[in-house]
Amino acid sequence: INSIKFAGDKRHGWAVGGDGVILATTNGGFDWVQQESPTNTTLYAIYLRDRNHLVVAGARGLILTTKNGGSKWTERKTGTHDHLFAVTFAPDNPLHGWAVGTFGAIIGTTDGGVTWKPQTSNTTAHLFSVAFESAKNGIAVGSRGTILVTHNGGAEWKEKKEISSVALTGVTFISLKRALVVGYRG
């Protein structure tokens, strides 16, 4: 299992992992059932808009979406074959989303995950996490201390001056102008 998320009600949750495994719970994690997955590709990340609308990112550029809590998953074309390690959507616009992965891969959607288009990151660093404060302002982080910032929804990503050479594996916004980044020394 590579990622787990729960809906706001804390009862409905999903977990994804190797071999295309998608697990779901409706009782807060006491019992899990395996959902029918359209793939056997490794799944790395999951995003929940609500307990019906979910997006999953995985190996070889794979994106899966569902509109019914996982009763049926649909594979989406992404324009990349890079592994995608993280996926997120804008808190102020659930149609705008991004996924990041190996060799600087960034893809974006403006229709809730139905169609995806590559964005230019100008890096070959592996990107492990992405967060957006709004549909315009976002940060992606990755290997070799890479921090990329956008102020226009990913039309342009600019690399911040290296502050560390550690792998940065997580990023989250805690306020409009403040984000926290975590990582590890390899």
Side-chain angles (χ1 to χ4, degrees):
I1 301 298
N2 293 317
S3 184
I4 185 170
K5 299 281 185 197
F6 275 81
D9 65 9
K10 306 294 184 209
R11 291 186 336 238
H12 292 84
W14 288 263
V16 297
D19 299 322
V21 168
I22 303 172
L23 303 174
T25 182
T26 58
N27 62 6
F30 289 101
D31 298 296
W32 293 86
V33 295
Q34 189 164 344
Q35 293 187 324
E36 187 173 332
S37 176
T39 185
N40 61 1
T41 300
T42 299
L43 304 174
Y44 292 112
I46 189 166
Y47 174 83
L48 276 73
R49 183 168 79 207
D50 55 47
R51 68 184 204 192
N52 290 314
H53 298 86
L54 297 88
V55 178
V56 172
R60 298 192 303 263
L62 180 70
I63 293 282
L64 302 175
T65 64
T66 183
K67 297 186 285 188
N68 53 26
S71 293
K72 181 177 191 286
W73 290 92
T74 303
E75 188 171 338
R76 303 297 182 176
K77 296 198 183 310
T78 63
T80 186
H81 294 291
D82 291 299
H83 299 333
L84 299 172
F85 297 129
V87 60
T88 195
F89 281 74
D92 62 343
N93 188 336
L95 297 179
H96 290 251
W98 300 263
V100 299
T102 54
F103 304 106
I106 302 177
I107 58 173
T109 182
T110 57
D111 59 12
V114 175
T115 59
W116 295 82
K117 293 182 181 168
Q119 295 183 341
T120 304
S121 69
N122 295 314
T123 186
T124 58
H126 301 320
L127 301 174
F128 301 123
S129 186
V130 60
F132 271 75
E133 168 275 318
S134 67
K136 295 198 178 291
N137 299 310
I139 299 174
V141 298
S143 62
R144 303 187 308 260
T146 300
I147 299 175
L148 303 176
V149 176
T150 184
H151 297 293
N152 55 17
E156 289 180 288
W157 288 90
K158 294 187 179 177
E159 191 164 1
K160 287 304 205 182
K161 183 179 177 197
E162 184 178 306
I163 58 171
S164 172
S165 61
V166 302
L168 302 175
T169 56
V171 60
T172 189
F173 277 92
I174 58 171
S175 70
L176 194 62
K177 294 186 177 186
R178 189 169 177 202
L180 292 177
V181 176
V182 296
Y184 67 91
R185 296 195 193 282

